[in-house]
Amino acid sequence: MTETRIHTNLVATDRGAVVELRIDRPEALGALNFEIMDEIAQFTQSLTHNRDCRVLIMTGTGKGFVAGADIVGYQGISQIEFDRFQRKSRKTFDAIAALDQITICAVNGYALGGGLELALCCDFILLSEKAKLGLPEIKLGLLPGGGGTQRLSRLIGPMRTKEILLTGRFLSAREAVDLGIALKSLQPDELLASAREFADTLAAQAPIALSEGKRIIDDSADTSLANGLTFEQRVLGALFATEDAKEGIDAFLSKRNPNFVGR
Ligand code: CO8
């Protein structure tokens, strides 16, 4: 597997249907400054044109996944610059959440503030047992600005989110799994292998069903049950007309593995 440095702080591995992105700024525990945010935005944009990639694995380097926004960079910046960073992070995080690809965040270490918020934009979070999660902005006299108050409370409810956000405490991997923030926690040296195995399983599914399934479930948060159920059946109807559905049904009846092509 060949890793390629695609930007100053990003290393990518392209395995065709599965692409891995490693944030590589260990000296600041992966903290997000303008530069990294730009690089992640460019990378995300490139994925929207990548027809081969079905699954993205995102991870970090060393003991940090992403320890939040770059606090060093916060010092001395103007209000205009601060607001520009906020808008940039909003666009970037929304773009990640909206990717057609299935996204797996393999959290190797600290995922704090903007780091946890970045992970929450992914479809799945897998944790190293060494990971620590939190929204500690309150300790800086601030609050989250990358979706922490919104995406986390939708996931685990307002009361639990308030407790985490208003105390700024860190969660262990085990607690994060118990709360439903992450799918599972793994031995540190098994994290990537497990993420890759999961990614390969997902990437083998029919591509349109994969991305549509993600979208229907994501959209259900903002949809009435009646509209959601109607939408679900429309998507199923559209899938029924695809070559992949014909192939999937034929493969089942012929007792062979399907060969999905994404049409
Ligand atoms: N920004 C910049 N540098 C950081 C950050 C950060 N968030 N976190 C750690 N670092 C740096 C440290 O300054 C240190 O650098 P140096 O060696 O030059 O002194 C290096 O990383 C290693 O860190 P520590 O020595 O502190 O390592 P420890 O193991 O002792 O502690 C901790 C690790 C507990 C993670 C500690 O570093 C910490 O508390 N970091 C700050 C975490 C935090 O408060 N994060 C929230 C930031 S605010 C935010 O994310 C707002 C989001 C706004 C939305 C926008 C979306 C991006």
PDB file of all heavy atoms in Angstrom, residues 25-29 31-32 37 63 67-72 74 85-86 89 93 110 112-115 117 136-137 140 142-146 170, ligand 1:
ATOM      1  N   ARG A  25      -0.191  16.036  11.275  1.00  0.00           N
ATOM      2  CA  ARG A  25       0.402  17.202  11.934  1.00  0.00           C
ATOM      3  C   ARG A  25       0.615  16.849  13.404  1.00  0.00           C
ATOM      4  O   ARG A  25       0.027  17.472  14.311  1.00  0.00           O
ATOM      5  CB  ARG A  25      -0.562  18.404  11.803  1.00  0.00           C
ATOM      6  CG  ARG A  25       0.105  19.732  12.087  1.00  0.00           C
ATOM      7  CD  ARG A  25      -0.887  20.875  12.215  1.00  0.00           C
ATOM      8  NE  ARG A  25      -0.183  22.089  12.554  1.00  0.00           N
ATOM      9  CZ  ARG A  25      -0.721  23.089  13.241  1.00  0.00           C
ATOM     10  NH1 ARG A  25      -1.990  23.045  13.625  1.00  0.00           N
ATOM     11  NH2 ARG A  25      -0.014  24.150  13.533  1.00  0.00           N
ATOM     12  N   PRO A  26       1.439  15.818  13.652  1.00  0.00           N
ATOM     13  CA  PRO A  26       1.543  15.286  15.015  1.00  0.00           C
ATOM     14  C   PRO A  26       2.066  16.289  16.019  1.00  0.00           C
ATOM     15  O   PRO A  26       1.742  16.207  17.201  1.00  0.00           O
ATOM     16  CB  PRO A  26       2.492  14.092  14.863  1.00  0.00           C
ATOM     17  CG  PRO A  26       3.190  14.284  13.558  1.00  0.00           C
ATOM     18  CD  PRO A  26       2.290  15.096  12.691  1.00  0.00           C
ATOM     19  N   GLU A  27       2.880  17.254  15.563  1.00  0.00           N
ATOM     20  CA  GLU A  27       3.460  18.215  16.512  1.00  0.00           C
ATOM     21  C   GLU A  27       2.389  19.082  17.182  1.00  0.00           C
ATOM     22  O   GLU A  27       2.612  19.627  18.263  1.00  0.00           O
ATOM     23  CB  GLU A  27       4.524  19.087  15.820  1.00  0.00           C
ATOM     24  CG  GLU A  27       4.027  20.066  14.769  1.00  0.00           C
ATOM     25  CD  GLU A  27       3.722  19.438  13.399  1.00  0.00           C
ATOM     26  OE1 GLU A  27       3.767  18.189  13.283  1.00  0.00           O
ATOM     27  OE2 GLU A  27       3.420  20.194  12.462  1.00  0.00           O
ATOM     28  N   ALA A  28       1.209  19.177  16.568  1.00  0.00           N
ATOM     29  CA  ALA A  28       0.104  19.936  17.183  1.00  0.00           C
ATOM     30  C   ALA A  28      -1.115  19.041  17.370  1.00  0.00           C
ATOM     31  O   ALA A  28      -2.249  19.518  17.428  1.00  0.00           O
ATOM     32  CB  ALA A  28      -0.249  21.144  16.315  1.00  0.00           C
ATOM     33  N   LEU A  29      -0.878  17.739  17.471  1.00  0.00           N
ATOM     34  CA  LEU A  29      -1.938  16.741  17.657  1.00  0.00           C
ATOM     35  C   LEU A  29      -3.053  16.897  16.610  1.00  0.00           C
ATOM     36  O   LEU A  29      -4.229  16.703  16.902  1.00  0.00           O
ATOM     37  CB  LEU A  29      -2.527  16.828  19.082  1.00  0.00           C
ATOM     38  CG  LEU A  29      -1.533  16.741  20.248  1.00  0.00           C
ATOM     39  CD1 LEU A  29      -2.266  16.735  21.589  1.00  0.00           C
ATOM     40  CD2 LEU A  29      -0.657  15.498  20.147  1.00  0.00           C
ATOM     41  N   ALA A  31      -4.163  19.582  15.153  1.00  0.00           N
ATOM     42  CA  ALA A  31      -5.030  20.767  15.286  1.00  0.00           C
ATOM     43  C   ALA A  31      -5.267  21.432  13.923  1.00  0.00           C
ATOM     44  O   ALA A  31      -4.378  21.500  13.070  1.00  0.00           O
ATOM     45  CB  ALA A  31      -4.411  21.763  16.256  1.00  0.00           C
ATOM     46  N   LEU A  32      -6.489  21.904  13.760  1.00  0.00           N
ATOM     47  CA  LEU A  32      -6.923  22.433  12.460  1.00  0.00           C
ATOM     48  C   LEU A  32      -6.644  23.927  12.364  1.00  0.00           C
ATOM     49  O   LEU A  32      -7.252  24.722  13.080  1.00  0.00           O
ATOM     50  CB  LEU A  32      -8.433  22.199  12.286  1.00  0.00           C
ATOM     51  CG  LEU A  32      -8.912  20.745  12.306  1.00  0.00           C
ATOM     52  CD1 LEU A  32     -10.444  20.696  12.353  1.00  0.00           C
ATOM     53  CD2 LEU A  32      -8.388  19.972  11.102  1.00  0.00           C
ATOM     54  N   MET A  37      -7.411  23.132   6.989  1.00  0.00           N
ATOM     55  CA  MET A  37      -8.820  23.214   6.608  1.00  0.00           C
ATOM     56  C   MET A  37      -8.935  23.350   5.092  1.00  0.00           C
ATOM     57  O   MET A  37      -9.771  22.708   4.462  1.00  0.00           O
ATOM     58  CB  MET A  37      -9.450  24.404   7.327  1.00  0.00           C
ATOM     59  CG  MET A  37     -10.939  24.339   7.423  1.00  0.00           C
ATOM     60  SD  MET A  37     -11.542  22.872   8.287  1.00  0.00           S
ATOM     61  CE  MET A  37     -11.648  23.490   9.931  1.00  0.00           C
ATOM     62  N   LYS A  63      -0.557  10.403  18.642  1.00  0.00           N
ATOM     63  CA  LYS A  63      -1.535  10.366  19.753  1.00  0.00           C
ATOM     64  C   LYS A  63      -2.713  11.313  19.542  1.00  0.00           C
ATOM     65  O   LYS A  63      -3.606  11.389  20.373  1.00  0.00           O
ATOM     66  CB  LYS A  63      -0.858  10.611  21.099  1.00  0.00           C
ATOM     67  CG  LYS A  63      -0.335  12.017  21.329  1.00  0.00           C
ATOM     68  CD  LYS A  63       0.182  12.147  22.768  1.00  0.00           C
ATOM     69  CE  LYS A  63       0.575  13.594  23.041  1.00  0.00           C
ATOM     70  NZ  LYS A  63       1.013  13.822  24.401  1.00  0.00           N
ATOM     71  N   ALA A  67      -6.927  17.533  17.680  1.00  0.00           N
ATOM     72  CA  ALA A  67      -7.184  18.073  19.029  1.00  0.00           C
ATOM     73  C   ALA A  67      -7.944  19.403  18.969  1.00  0.00           C
ATOM     74  O   ALA A  67      -7.840  20.216  19.886  1.00  0.00           O
ATOM     75  CB  ALA A  67      -5.881  18.222  19.789  1.00  0.00           C
ATOM     76  N   GLY A  68      -8.669  19.614  17.878  1.00  0.00           N
ATOM     77  CA  GLY A  68      -9.526  20.803  17.802  1.00  0.00           C
ATOM     78  C   GLY A  68      -9.003  21.832  16.830  1.00  0.00           C
ATOM     79  O   GLY A  68      -8.062  21.585  16.073  1.00  0.00           O
ATOM     80  N   ALA A  69      -9.635  22.989  16.875  1.00  0.00           N
ATOM     81  CA  ALA A  69      -9.127  24.115  16.090  1.00  0.00           C
ATOM     82  C   ALA A  69      -7.772  24.507  16.665  1.00  0.00           C
ATOM     83  O   ALA A  69      -7.482  24.237  17.837  1.00  0.00           O
ATOM     84  CB  ALA A  69     -10.104  25.273  16.178  1.00  0.00           C
ATOM     85  N   ASP A  70      -6.948  25.149  15.847  1.00  0.00           N
ATOM     86  CA  ASP A  70      -5.602  25.524  16.277  1.00  0.00           C
ATOM     87  C   ASP A  70      -5.675  26.716  17.237  1.00  0.00           C
ATOM     88  O   ASP A  70      -5.898  27.854  16.811  1.00  0.00           O
ATOM     89  CB  ASP A  70      -4.754  25.868  15.050  1.00  0.00           C
ATOM     90  CG  ASP A  70      -3.291  26.006  15.431  1.00  0.00           C
ATOM     91  OD1 ASP A  70      -3.007  26.649  16.457  1.00  0.00           O
ATOM     92  OD2 ASP A  70      -2.442  25.470  14.712  1.00  0.00           O
ATOM     93  N   ILE A  71      -5.483  26.424  18.520  1.00  0.00           N
ATOM     94  CA  ILE A  71      -5.620  27.474  19.539  1.00  0.00           C
ATOM     95  C   ILE A  71      -4.479  28.492  19.411  1.00  0.00           C
ATOM     96  O   ILE A  71      -4.673  29.687  19.658  1.00  0.00           O
ATOM     97  CB  ILE A  71      -5.632  26.850  20.956  1.00  0.00           C
ATOM     98  CG1 ILE A  71      -6.751  25.817  21.066  1.00  0.00           C
ATOM     99  CG2 ILE A  71      -5.818  27.922  22.030  1.00  0.00           C
ATOM    100  CD1 ILE A  71      -6.731  24.994  22.347  1.00  0.00           C
ATOM    101  N   VAL A  72      -3.317  28.002  19.000  1.00  0.00           N
ATOM    102  CA  VAL A  72      -2.178  28.923  18.812  1.00  0.00           C
ATOM    103  C   VAL A  72      -2.542  29.961  17.739  1.00  0.00           C
ATOM    104  O   VAL A  72      -2.315  31.163  17.893  1.00  0.00           O
ATOM    105  CB  VAL A  72      -0.901  28.146  18.390  1.00  0.00           C
ATOM    106  CG1 VAL A  72       0.272  29.094  18.195  1.00  0.00           C
ATOM    107  CG2 VAL A  72      -0.568  27.080  19.427  1.00  0.00           C
ATOM    108  N   TYR A  74      -5.457  30.952  17.019  1.00  0.00           N
ATOM    109  CA  TYR A  74      -6.539  31.838  17.477  1.00  0.00           C
ATOM    110  C   TYR A  74      -5.979  33.150  18.048  1.00  0.00           C
ATOM    111  O   TYR A  74      -6.611  34.182  17.983  1.00  0.00           O
ATOM    112  CB  TYR A  74      -7.353  31.155  18.581  1.00  0.00           C
ATOM    113  CG  TYR A  74      -8.530  30.304  18.118  1.00  0.00           C
ATOM    114  CD1 TYR A  74      -8.855  30.159  16.771  1.00  0.00           C
ATOM    115  CD2 TYR A  74      -9.336  29.653  19.055  1.00  0.00           C
ATOM    116  CE1 TYR A  74      -9.938  29.379  16.377  1.00  0.00           C
ATOM    117  CE2 TYR A  74     -10.422  28.874  18.660  1.00  0.00           C
ATOM    118  CZ  TYR A  74     -10.720  28.738  17.326  1.00  0.00           C
ATOM    119  OH  TYR A  74     -11.789  27.988  16.940  1.00  0.00           O
ATOM    120  N   PHE A  85     -12.570  31.720   9.219  1.00  0.00           N
ATOM    121  CA  PHE A  85     -12.250  30.335   9.572  1.00  0.00           C
ATOM    122  C   PHE A  85     -13.526  29.542   9.864  1.00  0.00           C
ATOM    123  O   PHE A  85     -13.677  28.384   9.472  1.00  0.00           O
ATOM    124  CB  PHE A  85     -11.308  30.306  10.782  1.00  0.00           C
ATOM    125  CG  PHE A  85     -10.859  28.919  11.151  1.00  0.00           C
ATOM    126  CD1 PHE A  85      -9.990  28.212  10.323  1.00  0.00           C
ATOM    127  CD2 PHE A  85     -11.303  28.304  12.313  1.00  0.00           C
ATOM    128  CE1 PHE A  85      -9.585  26.921  10.647  1.00  0.00           C
ATOM    129  CE2 PHE A  85     -10.897  27.022  12.639  1.00  0.00           C
ATOM    130  CZ  PHE A  85     -10.042  26.329  11.813  1.00  0.00           C
ATOM    131  N   GLN A  86     -14.444  30.204  10.567  1.00  0.00           N
ATOM    132  CA  GLN A  86     -15.713  29.537  10.880  1.00  0.00           C
ATOM    133  C   GLN A  86     -16.458  29.149   9.606  1.00  0.00           C
ATOM    134  O   GLN A  86     -16.975  28.048   9.485  1.00  0.00           O
ATOM    135  CB  GLN A  86     -16.617  30.488  11.671  1.00  0.00           C
ATOM    136  CG  GLN A  86     -16.115  30.862  13.017  1.00  0.00           C
ATOM    137  CD  GLN A  86     -17.099  30.391  14.074  1.00  0.00           C
ATOM    138  OE1 GLN A  86     -17.204  29.197  14.337  1.00  0.00           O
ATOM    139  NE2 GLN A  86     -17.814  31.307  14.652  1.00  0.00           N
ATOM    140  N   SER A  89     -14.734  26.295   7.866  1.00  0.00           N
ATOM    141  CA  SER A  89     -14.938  24.994   8.509  1.00  0.00           C
ATOM    142  C   SER A  89     -16.375  24.504   8.282  1.00  0.00           C
ATOM    143  O   SER A  89     -16.609  23.316   8.079  1.00  0.00           O
ATOM    144  CB  SER A  89     -14.599  25.038   9.998  1.00  0.00           C
ATOM    145  OG  SER A  89     -15.492  25.840  10.703  1.00  0.00           O
ATOM    146  N   PHE A  93     -16.892  20.951   6.567  1.00  0.00           N
ATOM    147  CA  PHE A  93     -17.543  19.872   7.313  1.00  0.00           C
ATOM    148  C   PHE A  93     -18.840  19.449   6.623  1.00  0.00           C
ATOM    149  O   PHE A  93     -19.151  18.258   6.532  1.00  0.00           O
ATOM    150  CB  PHE A  93     -17.818  20.312   8.762  1.00  0.00           C
ATOM    151  CG  PHE A  93     -16.582  20.336   9.639  1.00  0.00           C
ATOM    152  CD1 PHE A  93     -15.312  20.274   9.096  1.00  0.00           C
ATOM    153  CD2 PHE A  93     -16.697  20.404  11.020  1.00  0.00           C
ATOM    154  CE1 PHE A  93     -14.173  20.290   9.903  1.00  0.00           C
ATOM    155  CE2 PHE A  93     -15.573  20.415  11.842  1.00  0.00           C
ATOM    156  CZ  PHE A  93     -14.316  20.359  11.285  1.00  0.00           C
ATOM    157  N   TYR A 110      -6.621  11.741  20.411  1.00  0.00           N
ATOM    158  CA  TYR A 110      -7.506  12.842  20.813  1.00  0.00           C
ATOM    159  C   TYR A 110      -8.402  13.299  19.652  1.00  0.00           C
ATOM    160  O   TYR A 110      -7.913  13.575  18.555  1.00  0.00           O
ATOM    161  CB  TYR A 110      -6.678  14.046  21.275  1.00  0.00           C
ATOM    162  CG  TYR A 110      -5.992  13.835  22.607  1.00  0.00           C
ATOM    163  CD1 TYR A 110      -4.620  13.652  22.681  1.00  0.00           C
ATOM    164  CD2 TYR A 110      -6.733  13.826  23.777  1.00  0.00           C
ATOM    165  CE1 TYR A 110      -3.991  13.456  23.904  1.00  0.00           C
ATOM    166  CE2 TYR A 110      -6.113  13.629  25.015  1.00  0.00           C
ATOM    167  CZ  TYR A 110      -4.748  13.444  25.065  1.00  0.00           C
ATOM    168  OH  TYR A 110      -4.139  13.246  26.279  1.00  0.00           O
ATOM    169  N   LEU A 112     -10.942  16.204  19.827  1.00  0.00           N
ATOM    170  CA  LEU A 112     -11.477  17.227  20.731  1.00  0.00           C
ATOM    171  C   LEU A 112     -11.997  18.412  19.916  1.00  0.00           C
ATOM    172  O   LEU A 112     -11.434  18.733  18.859  1.00  0.00           O
ATOM    173  CB  LEU A 112     -10.386  17.708  21.683  1.00  0.00           C
ATOM    174  CG  LEU A 112      -9.720  16.609  22.520  1.00  0.00           C
ATOM    175  CD1 LEU A 112      -8.538  17.178  23.302  1.00  0.00           C
ATOM    176  CD2 LEU A 112     -10.731  15.959  23.465  1.00  0.00           C
ATOM    177  N   GLY A 113     -13.022  19.061  20.440  1.00  0.00           N
ATOM    178  CA  GLY A 113     -13.541  20.249  19.773  1.00  0.00           C
ATOM    179  C   GLY A 113     -13.798  19.980  18.305  1.00  0.00           C
ATOM    180  O   GLY A 113     -14.528  19.046  17.936  1.00  0.00           O
ATOM    181  N   GLY A 114     -13.154  20.778  17.428  1.00  0.00           N
ATOM    182  CA  GLY A 114     -13.321  20.606  15.985  1.00  0.00           C
ATOM    183  C   GLY A 114     -12.951  19.208  15.505  1.00  0.00           C
ATOM    184  O   GLY A 114     -13.420  18.762  14.454  1.00  0.00           O
ATOM    185  N   GLY A 115     -12.117  18.495  16.273  1.00  0.00           N
ATOM    186  CA  GLY A 115     -11.741  17.129  15.890  1.00  0.00           C
ATOM    187  C   GLY A 115     -12.899  16.164  16.062  1.00  0.00           C
ATOM    188  O   GLY A 115     -13.163  15.319  15.204  1.00  0.00           O
ATOM    189  N   GLU A 117     -15.953  17.163  16.105  1.00  0.00           N
ATOM    190  CA  GLU A 117     -16.964  17.638  15.150  1.00  0.00           C
ATOM    191  C   GLU A 117     -16.674  17.120  13.743  1.00  0.00           C
ATOM    192  O   GLU A 117     -17.601  16.775  13.000  1.00  0.00           O
ATOM    193  CB  GLU A 117     -16.998  19.172  15.185  1.00  0.00           C
ATOM    194  CG  GLU A 117     -17.541  19.667  16.523  1.00  0.00           C
ATOM    195  CD  GLU A 117     -17.370  21.162  16.723  1.00  0.00           C
ATOM    196  OE1 GLU A 117     -16.281  21.691  16.455  1.00  0.00           O
ATOM    197  OE2 GLU A 117     -18.356  21.805  17.142  1.00  0.00           O
ATOM    198  N   PRO A 136     -14.081  20.518  24.626  1.00  0.00           N
ATOM    199  CA  PRO A 136     -13.570  21.294  25.768  1.00  0.00           C
ATOM    200  C   PRO A 136     -13.536  22.807  25.558  1.00  0.00           C
ATOM    201  O   PRO A 136     -12.908  23.515  26.341  1.00  0.00           O
ATOM    202  CB  PRO A 136     -12.144  20.741  25.916  1.00  0.00           C
ATOM    203  CG  PRO A 136     -11.748  20.350  24.536  1.00  0.00           C
ATOM    204  CD  PRO A 136     -12.996  19.955  23.807  1.00  0.00           C
ATOM    205  N   GLU A 137     -14.218  23.297  24.508  1.00  0.00           N
ATOM    206  CA  GLU A 137     -14.139  24.734  24.197  1.00  0.00           C
ATOM    207  C   GLU A 137     -14.518  25.614  25.383  1.00  0.00           C
ATOM    208  O   GLU A 137     -14.002  26.719  25.544  1.00  0.00           O
ATOM    209  CB  GLU A 137     -15.059  25.088  23.016  1.00  0.00           C
ATOM    210  CG  GLU A 137     -14.590  24.566  21.670  1.00  0.00           C
ATOM    211  CD  GLU A 137     -15.124  23.180  21.333  1.00  0.00           C
ATOM    212  OE1 GLU A 137     -15.481  22.418  22.260  1.00  0.00           O
ATOM    213  OE2 GLU A 137     -15.177  22.851  20.137  1.00  0.00           O
ATOM    214  N   LEU A 140     -12.014  27.300  27.325  1.00  0.00           N
ATOM    215  CA  LEU A 140     -11.371  28.478  26.732  1.00  0.00           C
ATOM    216  C   LEU A 140     -12.316  29.681  26.767  1.00  0.00           C
ATOM    217  O   LEU A 140     -12.030  30.727  26.182  1.00  0.00           O
ATOM    218  CB  LEU A 140     -11.008  28.194  25.253  1.00  0.00           C
ATOM    219  CG  LEU A 140     -10.132  26.972  24.962  1.00  0.00           C
ATOM    220  CD1 LEU A 140     -10.072  26.701  23.473  1.00  0.00           C
ATOM    221  CD2 LEU A 140      -8.741  27.175  25.532  1.00  0.00           C
ATOM    222  N   LEU A 142     -15.174  29.502  25.335  1.00  0.00           N
ATOM    223  CA  LEU A 142     -15.831  29.446  24.019  1.00  0.00           C
ATOM    224  C   LEU A 142     -16.868  28.326  24.008  1.00  0.00           C
ATOM    225  O   LEU A 142     -17.090  27.665  25.017  1.00  0.00           O
ATOM    226  CB  LEU A 142     -14.783  29.184  22.929  1.00  0.00           C
ATOM    227  CG  LEU A 142     -13.689  30.250  22.752  1.00  0.00           C
ATOM    228  CD1 LEU A 142     -12.599  29.730  21.832  1.00  0.00           C
ATOM    229  CD2 LEU A 142     -14.293  31.541  22.196  1.00  0.00           C
ATOM    230  N   LEU A 143     -17.441  28.098  22.852  1.00  0.00           N
ATOM    231  CA  LEU A 143     -18.345  26.972  22.640  1.00  0.00           C
ATOM    232  C   LEU A 143     -17.999  26.353  21.290  1.00  0.00           C
ATOM    233  O   LEU A 143     -17.282  26.973  20.496  1.00  0.00           O
ATOM    234  CB  LEU A 143     -19.815  27.445  22.635  1.00  0.00           C
ATOM    235  CG  LEU A 143     -20.430  27.794  23.998  1.00  0.00           C
ATOM    236  CD1 LEU A 143     -21.814  28.402  23.821  1.00  0.00           C
ATOM    237  CD2 LEU A 143     -20.518  26.559  24.915  1.00  0.00           C
ATOM    238  N   PRO A 144     -18.506  25.157  21.005  1.00  0.00           N
ATOM    239  CA  PRO A 144     -18.217  24.556  19.697  1.00  0.00           C
ATOM    240  C   PRO A 144     -18.760  25.397  18.552  1.00  0.00           C
ATOM    241  O   PRO A 144     -19.755  26.117  18.719  1.00  0.00           O
ATOM    242  CB  PRO A 144     -18.963  23.217  19.749  1.00  0.00           C
ATOM    243  CG  PRO A 144     -19.142  22.927  21.191  1.00  0.00           C
ATOM    244  CD  PRO A 144     -19.291  24.256  21.863  1.00  0.00           C
ATOM    245  N   GLY A 145     -18.107  25.300  17.399  1.00  0.00           N
ATOM    246  CA  GLY A 145     -18.595  26.019  16.212  1.00  0.00           C
ATOM    247  C   GLY A 145     -18.552  25.167  14.964  1.00  0.00           C
ATOM    248  O   GLY A 145     -18.767  25.653  13.861  1.00  0.00           O
ATOM    249  N   GLY A 146     -18.271  23.871  15.141  1.00  0.00           N
ATOM    250  CA  GLY A 146     -18.182  22.986  13.975  1.00  0.00           C
ATOM    251  C   GLY A 146     -19.272  21.921  13.992  1.00  0.00           C
ATOM    252  O   GLY A 146     -19.101  20.860  13.384  1.00  0.00           O
ATOM    253  N   PHE A 170     -13.383  14.942  29.124  1.00  0.00           N
ATOM    254  CA  PHE A 170     -13.053  14.005  28.050  1.00  0.00           C
ATOM    255  C   PHE A 170     -13.765  12.672  28.277  1.00  0.00           C
ATOM    256  O   PHE A 170     -13.904  12.221  29.418  1.00  0.00           O
ATOM    257  CB  PHE A 170     -11.540  13.734  27.993  1.00  0.00           C
ATOM    258  CG  PHE A 170     -10.721  14.946  27.605  1.00  0.00           C
ATOM    259  CD1 PHE A 170      -9.337  14.910  27.708  1.00  0.00           C
ATOM    260  CD2 PHE A 170     -11.318  16.104  27.134  1.00  0.00           C
ATOM    261  CE1 PHE A 170      -8.569  16.007  27.348  1.00  0.00           C
ATOM    262  CE2 PHE A 170     -10.557  17.213  26.774  1.00  0.00           C
ATOM    263  CZ  PHE A 170      -9.182  17.165  26.888  1.00  0.00           C
TER     264      PHE A 170
HETATM  265  N1  CO8 B   1      -4.219  23.822  18.896  1.00  0.00           N
HETATM  266  C1  CO8 B   1      -2.902  24.043  18.725  1.00  0.00           C
HETATM  267  N2  CO8 B   1      -1.952  23.268  19.298  1.00  0.00           N
HETATM  268  C2  CO8 B   1      -2.354  22.240  20.052  1.00  0.00           C
HETATM  269  C3  CO8 B   1      -3.713  21.932  20.250  1.00  0.00           C
HETATM  270  C4  CO8 B   1      -4.664  22.786  19.617  1.00  0.00           C
HETATM  271  N3  CO8 B   1      -5.984  22.565  19.721  1.00  0.00           N
HETATM  272  N4  CO8 B   1      -3.812  20.868  21.058  1.00  0.00           N
HETATM  273  C5  CO8 B   1      -2.552  20.501  21.340  1.00  0.00           C
HETATM  274  N5  CO8 B   1      -1.681  21.326  20.732  1.00  0.00           N
HETATM  275  C6  CO8 B   1      -0.208  21.289  20.797  1.00  0.00           C
HETATM  276  C7  CO8 B   1       0.282  21.723  22.165  1.00  0.00           C
HETATM  277  O1  CO8 B   1       0.336  23.136  22.263  1.00  0.00           O
HETATM  278  C8  CO8 B   1       1.655  21.083  22.185  1.00  0.00           C
HETATM  279  O2  CO8 B   1       2.526  21.877  21.411  1.00  0.00           O
HETATM  280  P1  CO8 B   1       4.018  22.205  21.994  1.00  0.00           P
HETATM  281  O3  CO8 B   1       4.705  20.871  22.051  1.00  0.00           O
HETATM  282  O4  CO8 B   1       4.585  23.119  20.945  1.00  0.00           O
HETATM  283  O5  CO8 B   1       3.830  22.822  23.332  1.00  0.00           O
HETATM  284  C9  CO8 B   1       1.437  19.781  21.416  1.00  0.00           C
HETATM  285  O6  CO8 B   1       0.231  19.955  20.662  1.00  0.00           O
HETATM  286  C10 CO8 B   1       1.249  18.597  22.330  1.00  0.00           C
HETATM  287  O7  CO8 B   1       0.215  18.906  23.230  1.00  0.00           O
HETATM  288  P2  CO8 B   1       0.360  18.795  24.838  1.00  0.00           P
HETATM  289  O8  CO8 B   1       1.782  18.987  25.233  1.00  0.00           O
HETATM  290  O9  CO8 B   1      -0.646  19.670  25.465  1.00  0.00           O
HETATM  291  O10 CO8 B   1       0.000  17.256  25.006  1.00  0.00           O
HETATM  292  P3  CO8 B   1      -0.694  16.589  26.278  1.00  0.00           P
HETATM  293  O11 CO8 B   1      -0.651  15.127  26.015  1.00  0.00           O
HETATM  294  O12 CO8 B   1      -0.096  17.086  27.539  1.00  0.00           O
HETATM  295  O13 CO8 B   1      -2.225  17.095  26.232  1.00  0.00           O
HETATM  296  C11 CO8 B   1      -4.338  17.567  25.187  1.00  0.00           C
HETATM  297  C12 CO8 B   1      -3.027  16.747  25.130  1.00  0.00           C
HETATM  298  C13 CO8 B   1      -5.140  17.147  26.405  1.00  0.00           C
HETATM  299  C14 CO8 B   1      -5.087  17.221  23.917  1.00  0.00           C
HETATM  300  C15 CO8 B   1      -4.017  19.081  25.257  1.00  0.00           C
HETATM  301  O14 CO8 B   1      -3.072  19.391  24.251  1.00  0.00           O
HETATM  302  C16 CO8 B   1      -5.218  19.955  25.035  1.00  0.00           C
HETATM  303  O15 CO8 B   1      -6.016  20.129  25.937  1.00  0.00           O
HETATM  304  N6  CO8 B   1      -5.330  20.560  23.837  1.00  0.00           N
HETATM  305  C17 CO8 B   1      -6.393  21.506  23.525  1.00  0.00           C
HETATM  306  C18 CO8 B   1      -7.681  20.810  23.208  1.00  0.00           C
HETATM  307  C19 CO8 B   1      -8.788  21.825  22.972  1.00  0.00           C
HETATM  308  O16 CO8 B   1      -9.083  22.671  23.792  1.00  0.00           O
HETATM  309  N7  CO8 B   1      -9.432  21.695  21.797  1.00  0.00           N
HETATM  310  C20 CO8 B   1     -10.528  22.590  21.419  1.00  0.00           C
HETATM  311  C21 CO8 B   1      -9.980  23.712  20.586  1.00  0.00           C
HETATM  312  S1  CO8 B   1     -11.217  24.923  20.202  1.00  0.00           S
HETATM  313  C22 CO8 B   1     -12.109  24.248  18.952  1.00  0.00           C
HETATM  314  O17 CO8 B   1     -11.858  23.158  18.487  1.00  0.00           O
HETATM  315  C23 CO8 B   1     -13.241  25.079  18.433  1.00  0.00           C
HETATM  316  C24 CO8 B   1     -13.842  24.495  17.164  1.00  0.00           C
HETATM  317  C25 CO8 B   1     -14.381  25.592  16.344  1.00  0.00           C
HETATM  318  C26 CO8 B   1     -15.064  25.083  15.108  1.00  0.00           C
HETATM  319  C27 CO8 B   1     -14.224  25.091  13.915  1.00  0.00           C
HETATM  320  C28 CO8 B   1     -13.975  23.696  13.394  1.00  0.00           C
HETATM  321  C29 CO8 B   1     -12.575  23.380  13.227  1.00  0.00           C
END
